Amino acid sequence: DAKHLVPNKMRDFFCTINLDQEEVFRTQVVEKSLSPYFGEEFYFEIPRTFQWLSFYIYDKSVLQKDLRIGKVSIKKEDLCNYTGKENWFMLQPIDSNSEVQGKVHLELKLNELITDNGSVCQQLVVHIKECHGLPLINGQNCDPYATVSLVGPSRNDQKKTKVKKKTSNPQFNETFYFEVTRSSSYTKKSQFQVEEEDIEKLEVRVDLWNNGNLVQDVFLGEIKVPVKVLRNDSFQAWYLLQPRENGNKSSKTDDLGSLRLNICYTEDCVLPSEYYSSLRNLLLKSSDVQPISASAAYILSEVCRDKYDAVLPLVRLLLHHHKLVPFVAAVAELDLKDTQEANTIFRGNSLATRCVDEMMKIVGKHYLKVTLKPVIDEICESPKPCEIDPIKLREGDNVESNMDNLRYYVDKVFHEIVQSSISCPTLMCDVFYSLRHLAAKRFPNDPHVQYSAVSSFVFLRFFAVAVVSPHTFHLRPHHPDAQTSRTLTLISKAIQTLGSWGSLTKSKLSSFKETFMCEFFKTFQEEKFTESVKKFLDDVSSTESKEPSGLSEPVHLKEGEMYKRAQGRTRIGKKNFKKRWFCLTSREFTYHKQQDKEPIFTIPIKNILAVEKLDESSFNKKNMFQVLHGEKPLYIQANNCVEASEWIEALCRVTRCNQKRLSFYHPSAFLNGNWLCCKATVESSVGCARCTADVPADTQIEIDGDREAERIYSLFTINRSKLQKLEEACGSIAVYQGPRNEPDDYSNFTIEDSVATFHTLKQIIDIVEKLNESHEKYQKKRSSSAKYGSEENPIVGKVS
């Protein structure tokens, strides 16, 4: 959220998230506010290098261009200082001189020339080769050119390259010559006294600009290199473009407002799979360790300050290797040992409950979409007033009418849920089956506990949470407005109550804090609701094999708006690219004129031969990829680099098992009678580049097992001191078995078997040390192979 925004009058605001100058996400518009609450979460993999993560606040305009109010920009190197916690940031003024991205490739050389009379003078040679990653201007590739200057206390010689049209990766390949010193006998008139000039104070400055034609040219960035670093040698390197030294320093000192952000940034260096085999094997056998508290997976949760840090990679790794169900059963059994009353079963935030929560989020995405999305869309797009709290009623509101509206929505949501058991993923059913029987075993005299064990997850922690926060579960694109949020909160409360076994009894209703909710639920005291819940819970906690929903109906994987190029109708041109709505399911890839319209082009998944990036040079457009199938390639432009990466990954996953997948492809397009990449003149010629490596064949659960193993290794490394403390605690317990009269350092740890726990800790520490060595070797190899100034590791700032 933001507060105290200017101008000091109610306006409509939205916020964008940018990698350097490329917008990757934007929030909904919050109307008529000076302190807008956005409440939106965006999770994404970053597919390219970047310098800044920026957040821009815009004032929405209907007739004119949206006005940028201010920004928060955080350097990549500083993100770790803010990760995992909320921070208020003051908005900074937006200065075009500070809005830069990209890098430039230069070669500099200092030549000594001998004149006719034998004296020596020096000449500077500047070869500007190319640039990569320049920003889009107004959504289009820029028309860049460069100025090359030799600057000193008494001189400023400037030369200029040609303008390159419509490209973010211009190839200049131009060379410029500057006299640095000349002999004292040189007679040609000069604007300055070269003999007196100090070479130590000279520097080369390269400025990148976008040619504005009829409007003002736009600054794209600059670099500065002191001439003294050359020392008569040729110097060649890549440089990251920098803002002007006066960039982002505005004469305005007004307070533009502030923005509250919660950023979680992680950067992993993932080694080849074989490096993680020992750690992976140790974690995967956790469910077989007796007691479970002595297992590597359980110890991970013990040493992490926030259990969620451990749960996310752990659940994903166990899911990826089909080991989650036995592990959840083992930690749930440990959880139940400490549960004294049946009505408090699985209500805390233990390792077991968090594992189940995360599992439902990962494997239940499609289940939520097919069950709740239609009714959530109806509530958000055609909202009816549902407020039944007398204190919150507005003037003219009819509480009986509002109660009828709320009852209509609750009935509809409840009906969709209890009729959805056939769509419940098999993995969720297996987990619920285990929980149900463990609960019945722990409380054999309570006939209802087997149902409340399941309902506490599926109703309270899954459906009710998705109803109140549909944007978090991708059921809606944005956070709903205040009135709709209130309606969804009331529906969520109702679903929690209806799903809680036995909640509709008179004794339960009397315990409601809100009397208006008590009155509302009196209308639900019907046997059919209790029976419907019981039947649904029986169905979703049964081990009877269900046909996976992916076989009976297509699994919806991804959809969104992108641009596609007309296939073979006209020559290159802007008009060839048309905006279309794309949809990917487990059966087909389609595009439509508009969302919810019939498809105008369909490619069956089995017909897709490859999905690869397309070189920008093909159409002078960024973020393009190609779908190769039986006919001409389908060329698509995504809206940003994150979106392009996500589409390529989703398409690759769903087509990995296709039998006719290509091994080679053309990275560029076939235009004007030849392939731009290899110049082959036959359109059907075999590709000139090898297709990218295969990805895991899992269309519903997108998990990189090695990435998760690396995250777990990082967590063990960060918490190394706690591992050692736990190891010491096990040793102390093993030596001294008497009662502990005073609290000690390990009283917060669960140690059921000190010997078994000590043995596992020893293995973990040994594995972490070996991985540390592997990482150090990799970093040394990387630093030697990608030297400072290479394209992979460009120079930042001024060379010294």
Side-chain angles (χ1 to χ4, degrees), residues 622-653:
K622 300 180 80 169
N623 305 318
M624 289 203 66
F625 63 95
Q626 53 184 317
V627 179
L628 307 177
H629 57 109
E631 304 170 25
K632 291 179 180 291
L634 176 61
Y635 298 128
I636 300 170
Q637 183 187 26
N639 294 295
N640 56 65
C641 62
V642 172
E643 186 178 80
S645 176
E646 289 177 349
W647 273 103
I648 292 170
E649 183 180 15
L651 282 160
C652 284
R653 286 181 185 279

PDB file of all heavy atoms in Angstrom, residues 622-653:
ATOM      1  N   LYS A 622      11.331  -7.531 -29.002  1.00  0.00           N
ATOM      2  CA  LYS A 622      11.842  -8.272 -27.854  1.00  0.00           C
ATOM      3  C   LYS A 622      10.809  -9.289 -27.383  1.00  0.00           C
ATOM      4  O   LYS A 622       9.632  -9.237 -27.753  1.00  0.00           O
ATOM      5  CB  LYS A 622      12.177  -7.309 -26.722  1.00  0.00           C
ATOM      6  CG  LYS A 622      13.232  -6.281 -27.072  1.00  0.00           C
ATOM      7  CD  LYS A 622      13.523  -5.366 -25.917  1.00  0.00           C
ATOM      8  CE  LYS A 622      14.462  -6.016 -24.923  1.00  0.00           C
ATOM      9  NZ  LYS A 622      14.978  -5.072 -23.924  1.00  0.00           N
ATOM     10  N   ASN A 623      11.269 -10.227 -26.532  1.00  0.00           N
ATOM     11  CA  ASN A 623      10.407 -11.179 -25.821  1.00  0.00           C
ATOM     12  C   ASN A 623       9.581 -12.042 -26.779  1.00  0.00           C
ATOM     13  O   ASN A 623       8.407 -12.297 -26.541  1.00  0.00           O
ATOM     14  CB  ASN A 623       9.475 -10.429 -24.855  1.00  0.00           C
ATOM     15  CG  ASN A 623      10.234  -9.553 -23.887  1.00  0.00           C
ATOM     16  OD1 ASN A 623      11.257  -9.953 -23.359  1.00  0.00           O
ATOM     17  ND2 ASN A 623       9.743  -8.344 -23.662  1.00  0.00           N
ATOM     18  N   MET A 624      10.217 -12.483 -27.863  1.00  0.00           N
ATOM     19  CA  MET A 624       9.517 -13.331 -28.830  1.00  0.00           C
ATOM     20  C   MET A 624       9.913 -14.795 -28.668  1.00  0.00           C
ATOM     21  O   MET A 624      11.031 -15.117 -28.264  1.00  0.00           O
ATOM     22  CB  MET A 624       9.802 -12.868 -30.260  1.00  0.00           C
ATOM     23  CG  MET A 624       9.127 -11.550 -30.613  1.00  0.00           C
ATOM     24  SD  MET A 624       8.897 -11.345 -32.379  1.00  0.00           S
ATOM     25  CE  MET A 624       7.710 -12.643 -32.764  1.00  0.00           C
ATOM     26  N   PHE A 625       8.963 -15.685 -28.979  1.00  0.00           N
ATOM     27  CA  PHE A 625       9.251 -17.113 -29.016  1.00  0.00           C
ATOM     28  C   PHE A 625       8.469 -17.736 -30.154  1.00  0.00           C
ATOM     29  O   PHE A 625       7.580 -17.100 -30.750  1.00  0.00           O
ATOM     30  CB  PHE A 625       8.953 -17.789 -27.670  1.00  0.00           C
ATOM     31  CG  PHE A 625       7.512 -17.745 -27.233  1.00  0.00           C
ATOM     32  CD1 PHE A 625       6.652 -18.808 -27.499  1.00  0.00           C
ATOM     33  CD2 PHE A 625       7.009 -16.656 -26.522  1.00  0.00           C
ATOM     34  CE1 PHE A 625       5.329 -18.788 -27.070  1.00  0.00           C
ATOM     35  CE2 PHE A 625       5.689 -16.625 -26.090  1.00  0.00           C
ATOM     36  CZ  PHE A 625       4.852 -17.693 -26.366  1.00  0.00           C
ATOM     37  N   GLN A 626       8.811 -18.969 -30.481  1.00  0.00           N
ATOM     38  CA  GLN A 626       8.181 -19.647 -31.616  1.00  0.00           C
ATOM     39  C   GLN A 626       7.677 -21.022 -31.205  1.00  0.00           C
ATOM     40  O   GLN A 626       8.319 -21.712 -30.420  1.00  0.00           O
ATOM     41  CB  GLN A 626       9.162 -19.774 -32.779  1.00  0.00           C
ATOM     42  CG  GLN A 626      10.496 -20.416 -32.420  1.00  0.00           C
ATOM     43  CD  GLN A 626      11.457 -20.437 -33.584  1.00  0.00           C
ATOM     44  OE1 GLN A 626      11.076 -20.732 -34.715  1.00  0.00           O
ATOM     45  NE2 GLN A 626      12.728 -20.147 -33.317  1.00  0.00           N
ATOM     46  N   VAL A 627       6.501 -21.369 -31.733  1.00  0.00           N
ATOM     47  CA  VAL A 627       5.921 -22.692 -31.523  1.00  0.00           C
ATOM     48  C   VAL A 627       5.992 -23.415 -32.863  1.00  0.00           C
ATOM     49  O   VAL A 627       5.332 -23.019 -33.835  1.00  0.00           O
ATOM     50  CB  VAL A 627       4.462 -22.589 -31.032  1.00  0.00           C
ATOM     51  CG1 VAL A 627       3.875 -23.988 -30.835  1.00  0.00           C
ATOM     52  CG2 VAL A 627       4.393 -21.787 -29.733  1.00  0.00           C
ATOM     53  N   LEU A 628       6.816 -24.459 -32.928  1.00  0.00           N
ATOM     54  CA  LEU A 628       7.000 -25.213 -34.171  1.00  0.00           C
ATOM     55  C   LEU A 628       6.020 -26.377 -34.186  1.00  0.00           C
ATOM     56  O   LEU A 628       5.984 -27.181 -33.258  1.00  0.00           O
ATOM     57  CB  LEU A 628       8.437 -25.717 -34.273  1.00  0.00           C
ATOM     58  CG  LEU A 628       9.529 -24.644 -34.106  1.00  0.00           C
ATOM     59  CD1 LEU A 628      10.910 -25.262 -34.159  1.00  0.00           C
ATOM     60  CD2 LEU A 628       9.394 -23.579 -35.170  1.00  0.00           C
ATOM     61  N   HIS A 629       5.237 -26.446 -35.260  1.00  0.00           N
ATOM     62  CA  HIS A 629       4.267 -27.542 -35.411  1.00  0.00           C
ATOM     63  C   HIS A 629       4.246 -27.957 -36.874  1.00  0.00           C
ATOM     64  O   HIS A 629       5.179 -27.648 -37.617  1.00  0.00           O
ATOM     65  CB  HIS A 629       2.885 -27.106 -34.906  1.00  0.00           C
ATOM     66  CG  HIS A 629       2.340 -25.885 -35.576  1.00  0.00           C
ATOM     67  ND1 HIS A 629       1.290 -25.901 -36.443  1.00  0.00           N
ATOM     68  CD2 HIS A 629       2.726 -24.584 -35.486  1.00  0.00           C
ATOM     69  CE1 HIS A 629       1.043 -24.679 -36.870  1.00  0.00           C
ATOM     70  NE2 HIS A 629       1.892 -23.859 -36.309  1.00  0.00           N
ATOM     71  N   GLY A 630       3.224 -28.643 -37.308  1.00  0.00           N
ATOM     72  CA  GLY A 630       3.210 -29.204 -38.656  1.00  0.00           C
ATOM     73  C   GLY A 630       3.265 -28.164 -39.764  1.00  0.00           C
ATOM     74  O   GLY A 630       3.828 -28.405 -40.820  1.00  0.00           O
ATOM     75  N   GLU A 631       2.688 -26.977 -39.531  1.00  0.00           N
ATOM     76  CA  GLU A 631       2.662 -25.946 -40.564  1.00  0.00           C
ATOM     77  C   GLU A 631       3.804 -24.960 -40.329  1.00  0.00           C
ATOM     78  O   GLU A 631       4.830 -25.315 -39.798  1.00  0.00           O
ATOM     79  CB  GLU A 631       1.295 -25.249 -40.533  1.00  0.00           C
ATOM     80  CG  GLU A 631       0.127 -26.224 -40.696  1.00  0.00           C
ATOM     81  CD  GLU A 631      -1.212 -25.554 -40.421  1.00  0.00           C
ATOM     82  OE1 GLU A 631      -1.308 -24.318 -40.566  1.00  0.00           O
ATOM     83  OE2 GLU A 631      -2.151 -26.271 -40.051  1.00  0.00           O
ATOM     84  N   LYS A 632       3.595 -23.690 -40.758  1.00  0.00           N
ATOM     85  CA  LYS A 632       4.608 -22.668 -40.531  1.00  0.00           C
ATOM     86  C   LYS A 632       4.740 -22.404 -39.033  1.00  0.00           C
ATOM     87  O   LYS A 632       3.782 -22.561 -38.288  1.00  0.00           O
ATOM     88  CB  LYS A 632       4.212 -21.371 -41.256  1.00  0.00           C
ATOM     89  CG  LYS A 632       4.271 -21.459 -42.779  1.00  0.00           C
ATOM     90  CD  LYS A 632       3.831 -20.137 -43.389  1.00  0.00           C
ATOM     91  CE  LYS A 632       3.869 -20.199 -44.901  1.00  0.00           C
ATOM     92  NZ  LYS A 632       5.242 -20.288 -45.428  1.00  0.00           N
ATOM     93  N   PRO A 633       5.921 -21.980 -38.568  1.00  0.00           N
ATOM     94  CA  PRO A 633       6.070 -21.673 -37.137  1.00  0.00           C
ATOM     95  C   PRO A 633       5.104 -20.564 -36.727  1.00  0.00           C
ATOM     96  O   PRO A 633       4.826 -19.649 -37.493  1.00  0.00           O
ATOM     97  CB  PRO A 633       7.531 -21.208 -37.019  1.00  0.00           C
ATOM     98  CG  PRO A 633       8.213 -21.705 -38.239  1.00  0.00           C
ATOM     99  CD  PRO A 633       7.177 -21.772 -39.309  1.00  0.00           C
ATOM    100  N   LEU A 634       4.606 -20.671 -35.511  1.00  0.00           N
ATOM    101  CA  LEU A 634       3.770 -19.614 -34.939  1.00  0.00           C
ATOM    102  C   LEU A 634       4.686 -18.713 -34.115  1.00  0.00           C
ATOM    103  O   LEU A 634       5.277 -19.144 -33.139  1.00  0.00           O
ATOM    104  CB  LEU A 634       2.675 -20.228 -34.060  1.00  0.00           C
ATOM    105  CG  LEU A 634       1.780 -19.253 -33.306  1.00  0.00           C
ATOM    106  CD1 LEU A 634       1.015 -18.343 -34.258  1.00  0.00           C
ATOM    107  CD2 LEU A 634       0.795 -20.012 -32.408  1.00  0.00           C
ATOM    108  N   TYR A 635       4.812 -17.447 -34.547  1.00  0.00           N
ATOM    109  CA  TYR A 635       5.673 -16.480 -33.860  1.00  0.00           C
ATOM    110  C   TYR A 635       4.836 -15.632 -32.919  1.00  0.00           C
ATOM    111  O   TYR A 635       3.838 -15.021 -33.339  1.00  0.00           O
ATOM    112  CB  TYR A 635       6.391 -15.591 -34.863  1.00  0.00           C
ATOM    113  CG  TYR A 635       7.323 -16.341 -35.797  1.00  0.00           C
ATOM    114  CD1 TYR A 635       7.243 -16.178 -37.183  1.00  0.00           C
ATOM    115  CD2 TYR A 635       8.284 -17.222 -35.294  1.00  0.00           C
ATOM    116  CE1 TYR A 635       8.097 -16.860 -38.042  1.00  0.00           C
ATOM    117  CE2 TYR A 635       9.132 -17.911 -36.146  1.00  0.00           C
ATOM    118  CZ  TYR A 635       9.031 -17.732 -37.517  1.00  0.00           C
ATOM    119  OH  TYR A 635       9.871 -18.411 -38.360  1.00  0.00           O
ATOM    120  N   ILE A 636       5.255 -15.575 -31.648  1.00  0.00           N
ATOM    121  CA  ILE A 636       4.467 -14.897 -30.604  1.00  0.00           C
ATOM    122  C   ILE A 636       5.362 -13.927 -29.850  1.00  0.00           C
ATOM    123  O   ILE A 636       6.514 -14.243 -29.532  1.00  0.00           O
ATOM    124  CB  ILE A 636       3.874 -15.929 -29.619  1.00  0.00           C
ATOM    125  CG1 ILE A 636       2.956 -16.914 -30.370  1.00  0.00           C
ATOM    126  CG2 ILE A 636       3.091 -15.240 -28.508  1.00  0.00           C
ATOM    127  CD1 ILE A 636       2.516 -18.100 -29.536  1.00  0.00           C
ATOM    128  N   GLN A 637       4.817 -12.748 -29.550  1.00  0.00           N
ATOM    129  CA  GLN A 637       5.526 -11.771 -28.729  1.00  0.00           C
ATOM    130  C   GLN A 637       4.795 -11.617 -27.401  1.00  0.00           C
ATOM    131  O   GLN A 637       3.621 -11.242 -27.363  1.00  0.00           O
ATOM    132  CB  GLN A 637       5.614 -10.409 -29.426  1.00  0.00           C
ATOM    133  CG  GLN A 637       6.415  -9.398 -28.606  1.00  0.00           C
ATOM    134  CD  GLN A 637       6.372  -7.999 -29.185  1.00  0.00           C
ATOM    135  OE1 GLN A 637       5.432  -7.635 -29.882  1.00  0.00           O
ATOM    136  NE2 GLN A 637       7.398  -7.197 -28.890  1.00  0.00           N
ATOM    137  N   ALA A 638       5.504 -11.911 -26.302  1.00  0.00           N
ATOM    138  CA  ALA A 638       4.935 -11.708 -24.968  1.00  0.00           C
ATOM    139  C   ALA A 638       5.122 -10.247 -24.554  1.00  0.00           C
ATOM    140  O   ALA A 638       5.862  -9.494 -25.189  1.00  0.00           O
ATOM    141  CB  ALA A 638       5.621 -12.635 -23.965  1.00  0.00           C
ATOM    142  N   ASN A 639       4.446  -9.856 -23.485  1.00  0.00           N
ATOM    143  CA  ASN A 639       4.476  -8.454 -23.061  1.00  0.00           C
ATOM    144  C   ASN A 639       5.736  -8.088 -22.295  1.00  0.00           C
ATOM    145  O   ASN A 639       6.084  -6.916 -22.212  1.00  0.00           O
ATOM    146  CB  ASN A 639       3.243  -8.144 -22.203  1.00  0.00           C
ATOM    147  CG  ASN A 639       1.966  -8.235 -23.019  1.00  0.00           C
ATOM    148  OD1 ASN A 639       1.761  -7.465 -23.939  1.00  0.00           O
ATOM    149  ND2 ASN A 639       1.123  -9.203 -22.701  1.00  0.00           N
ATOM    150  N   ASN A 640       6.424  -9.083 -21.714  1.00  0.00           N
ATOM    151  CA  ASN A 640       7.676  -8.803 -21.006  1.00  0.00           C
ATOM    152  C   ASN A 640       8.465 -10.092 -20.879  1.00  0.00           C
ATOM    153  O   ASN A 640       7.988 -11.180 -21.241  1.00  0.00           O
ATOM    154  CB  ASN A 640       7.407  -8.170 -19.632  1.00  0.00           C
ATOM    155  CG  ASN A 640       6.497  -9.026 -18.770  1.00  0.00           C
ATOM    156  OD1 ASN A 640       6.858 -10.133 -18.391  1.00  0.00           O
ATOM    157  ND2 ASN A 640       5.309  -8.521 -18.456  1.00  0.00           N
ATOM    158  N   CYS A 641       9.691  -9.976 -20.350  1.00  0.00           N
ATOM    159  CA  CYS A 641      10.592 -11.134 -20.302  1.00  0.00           C
ATOM    160  C   CYS A 641      10.087 -12.221 -19.353  1.00  0.00           C
ATOM    161  O   CYS A 641      10.267 -13.411 -19.609  1.00  0.00           O
ATOM    162  CB  CYS A 641      11.989 -10.686 -19.895  1.00  0.00           C
ATOM    163  SG  CYS A 641      12.081  -9.935 -18.246  1.00  0.00           S
ATOM    164  N   VAL A 642       9.436 -11.839 -18.250  1.00  0.00           N
ATOM    165  CA  VAL A 642       8.923 -12.829 -17.305  1.00  0.00           C
ATOM    166  C   VAL A 642       7.803 -13.633 -17.950  1.00  0.00           C
ATOM    167  O   VAL A 642       7.761 -14.867 -17.852  1.00  0.00           O
ATOM    168  CB  VAL A 642       8.420 -12.137 -16.016  1.00  0.00           C
ATOM    169  CG1 VAL A 642       7.710 -13.126 -15.108  1.00  0.00           C
ATOM    170  CG2 VAL A 642       9.582 -11.484 -15.281  1.00  0.00           C
ATOM    171  N   GLU A 643       6.891 -12.938 -18.621  1.00  0.00           N
ATOM    172  CA  GLU A 643       5.771 -13.617 -19.274  1.00  0.00           C
ATOM    173  C   GLU A 643       6.277 -14.561 -20.367  1.00  0.00           C
ATOM    174  O   GLU A 643       5.796 -15.697 -20.492  1.00  0.00           O
ATOM    175  CB  GLU A 643       4.823 -12.571 -19.873  1.00  0.00           C
ATOM    176  CG  GLU A 643       3.546 -13.148 -20.460  1.00  0.00           C
ATOM    177  CD  GLU A 643       2.624 -12.061 -20.992  1.00  0.00           C
ATOM    178  OE1 GLU A 643       2.870 -11.572 -22.100  1.00  0.00           O
ATOM    179  OE2 GLU A 643       1.674 -11.703 -20.288  1.00  0.00           O
ATOM    180  N   ALA A 644       7.239 -14.120 -21.163  1.00  0.00           N
ATOM    181  CA  ALA A 644       7.790 -14.972 -22.229  1.00  0.00           C
ATOM    182  C   ALA A 644       8.395 -16.244 -21.638  1.00  0.00           C
ATOM    183  O   ALA A 644       8.168 -17.357 -22.132  1.00  0.00           O
ATOM    184  CB  ALA A 644       8.844 -14.203 -23.025  1.00  0.00           C
ATOM    185  N   SER A 645       9.160 -16.085 -20.561  1.00  0.00           N
ATOM    186  CA  SER A 645       9.799 -17.237 -19.920  1.00  0.00           C
ATOM    187  C   SER A 645       8.762 -18.221 -19.378  1.00  0.00           C
ATOM    188  O   SER A 645       8.909 -19.442 -19.521  1.00  0.00           O
ATOM    189  CB  SER A 645      10.707 -16.742 -18.791  1.00  0.00           C
ATOM    190  OG  SER A 645      11.277 -17.809 -18.089  1.00  0.00           O
ATOM    191  N   GLU A 646       7.697 -17.702 -18.763  1.00  0.00           N
ATOM    192  CA  GLU A 646       6.660 -18.568 -18.196  1.00  0.00           C
ATOM    193  C   GLU A 646       5.920 -19.342 -19.280  1.00  0.00           C
ATOM    194  O   GLU A 646       5.619 -20.530 -19.118  1.00  0.00           O
ATOM    195  CB  GLU A 646       5.685 -17.732 -17.373  1.00  0.00           C
ATOM    196  CG  GLU A 646       6.275 -17.214 -16.066  1.00  0.00           C
ATOM    197  CD  GLU A 646       5.316 -16.323 -15.295  1.00  0.00           C
ATOM    198  OE1 GLU A 646       4.269 -15.939 -15.864  1.00  0.00           O
ATOM    199  OE2 GLU A 646       5.614 -16.007 -14.115  1.00  0.00           O
ATOM    200  N   TRP A 647       5.617 -18.686 -20.413  1.00  0.00           N
ATOM    201  CA  TRP A 647       4.923 -19.379 -21.510  1.00  0.00           C
ATOM    202  C   TRP A 647       5.805 -20.469 -22.121  1.00  0.00           C
ATOM    203  O   TRP A 647       5.340 -21.578 -22.402  1.00  0.00           O
ATOM    204  CB  TRP A 647       4.490 -18.380 -22.584  1.00  0.00           C
ATOM    205  CG  TRP A 647       3.160 -17.757 -22.332  1.00  0.00           C
ATOM    206  CD1 TRP A 647       2.895 -16.507 -21.866  1.00  0.00           C
ATOM    207  CD2 TRP A 647       1.870 -18.374 -22.532  1.00  0.00           C
ATOM    208  NE1 TRP A 647       1.546 -16.301 -21.765  1.00  0.00           N
ATOM    209  CE2 TRP A 647       0.882 -17.430 -22.169  1.00  0.00           C
ATOM    210  CE3 TRP A 647       1.459 -19.626 -22.980  1.00  0.00           C
ATOM    211  CZ2 TRP A 647      -0.483 -17.697 -22.239  1.00  0.00           C
ATOM    212  CZ3 TRP A 647       0.091 -19.900 -23.055  1.00  0.00           C
ATOM    213  CH2 TRP A 647      -0.848 -18.953 -22.687  1.00  0.00           C
ATOM    214  N   ILE A 648       7.074 -20.144 -22.341  1.00  0.00           N
ATOM    215  CA  ILE A 648       7.984 -21.140 -22.929  1.00  0.00           C
ATOM    216  C   ILE A 648       8.091 -22.361 -22.012  1.00  0.00           C
ATOM    217  O   ILE A 648       8.026 -23.511 -22.468  1.00  0.00           O
ATOM    218  CB  ILE A 648       9.379 -20.523 -23.184  1.00  0.00           C
ATOM    219  CG1 ILE A 648       9.288 -19.467 -24.293  1.00  0.00           C
ATOM    220  CG2 ILE A 648      10.392 -21.595 -23.562  1.00  0.00           C
ATOM    221  CD1 ILE A 648      10.541 -18.627 -24.447  1.00  0.00           C
ATOM    222  N   GLU A 649       8.228 -22.108 -20.703  1.00  0.00           N
ATOM    223  CA  GLU A 649       8.352 -23.203 -19.744  1.00  0.00           C
ATOM    224  C   GLU A 649       7.088 -24.065 -19.720  1.00  0.00           C
ATOM    225  O   GLU A 649       7.147 -25.294 -19.750  1.00  0.00           O
ATOM    226  CB  GLU A 649       8.636 -22.648 -18.353  1.00  0.00           C
ATOM    227  CG  GLU A 649       8.850 -23.731 -17.314  1.00  0.00           C
ATOM    228  CD  GLU A 649       9.138 -23.179 -15.927  1.00  0.00           C
ATOM    229  OE1 GLU A 649       8.898 -21.983 -15.694  1.00  0.00           O
ATOM    230  OE2 GLU A 649       9.581 -23.968 -15.085  1.00  0.00           O
ATOM    231  N   ALA A 650       5.905 -23.410 -19.698  1.00  0.00           N
ATOM    232  CA  ALA A 650       4.644 -24.156 -19.649  1.00  0.00           C
ATOM    233  C   ALA A 650       4.459 -24.995 -20.907  1.00  0.00           C
ATOM    234  O   ALA A 650       4.060 -26.164 -20.846  1.00  0.00           O
ATOM    235  CB  ALA A 650       3.478 -23.182 -19.478  1.00  0.00           C
ATOM    236  N   LEU A 651       4.761 -24.421 -22.078  1.00  0.00           N
ATOM    237  CA  LEU A 651       4.611 -25.161 -23.340  1.00  0.00           C
ATOM    238  C   LEU A 651       5.619 -26.309 -23.426  1.00  0.00           C
ATOM    239  O   LEU A 651       5.286 -27.395 -23.912  1.00  0.00           O
ATOM    240  CB  LEU A 651       4.787 -24.201 -24.523  1.00  0.00           C
ATOM    241  CG  LEU A 651       3.572 -23.317 -24.836  1.00  0.00           C
ATOM    242  CD1 LEU A 651       3.976 -22.103 -25.656  1.00  0.00           C
ATOM    243  CD2 LEU A 651       2.508 -24.117 -25.583  1.00  0.00           C
ATOM    244  N   CYS A 652       6.844 -26.070 -22.961  1.00  0.00           N
ATOM    245  CA  CYS A 652       7.855 -27.142 -22.993  1.00  0.00           C
ATOM    246  C   CYS A 652       7.450 -28.315 -22.101  1.00  0.00           C
ATOM    247  O   CYS A 652       7.628 -29.475 -22.457  1.00  0.00           O
ATOM    248  CB  CYS A 652       9.212 -26.598 -22.550  1.00  0.00           C
ATOM    249  SG  CYS A 652      10.050 -25.617 -23.801  1.00  0.00           S
ATOM    250  N   ARG A 653       6.895 -28.000 -20.933  1.00  0.00           N
ATOM    251  CA  ARG A 653       6.521 -29.061 -19.997  1.00  0.00           C
ATOM    252  C   ARG A 653       5.433 -29.956 -20.579  1.00  0.00           C
ATOM    253  O   ARG A 653       5.486 -31.173 -20.472  1.00  0.00           O
ATOM    254  CB  ARG A 653       6.048 -28.453 -18.674  1.00  0.00           C
ATOM    255  CG  ARG A 653       7.175 -27.896 -17.832  1.00  0.00           C
ATOM    256  CD  ARG A 653       6.664 -27.324 -16.536  1.00  0.00           C
ATOM    257  NE  ARG A 653       7.746 -26.695 -15.786  1.00  0.00           N
ATOM    258  CZ  ARG A 653       8.616 -27.338 -15.026  1.00  0.00           C
ATOM    259  NH1 ARG A 653       8.523 -28.645 -14.903  1.00  0.00           N
ATOM    260  NH2 ARG A 653       9.573 -26.704 -14.388  1.00  0.00           N
TER     261      ARG A 653
END
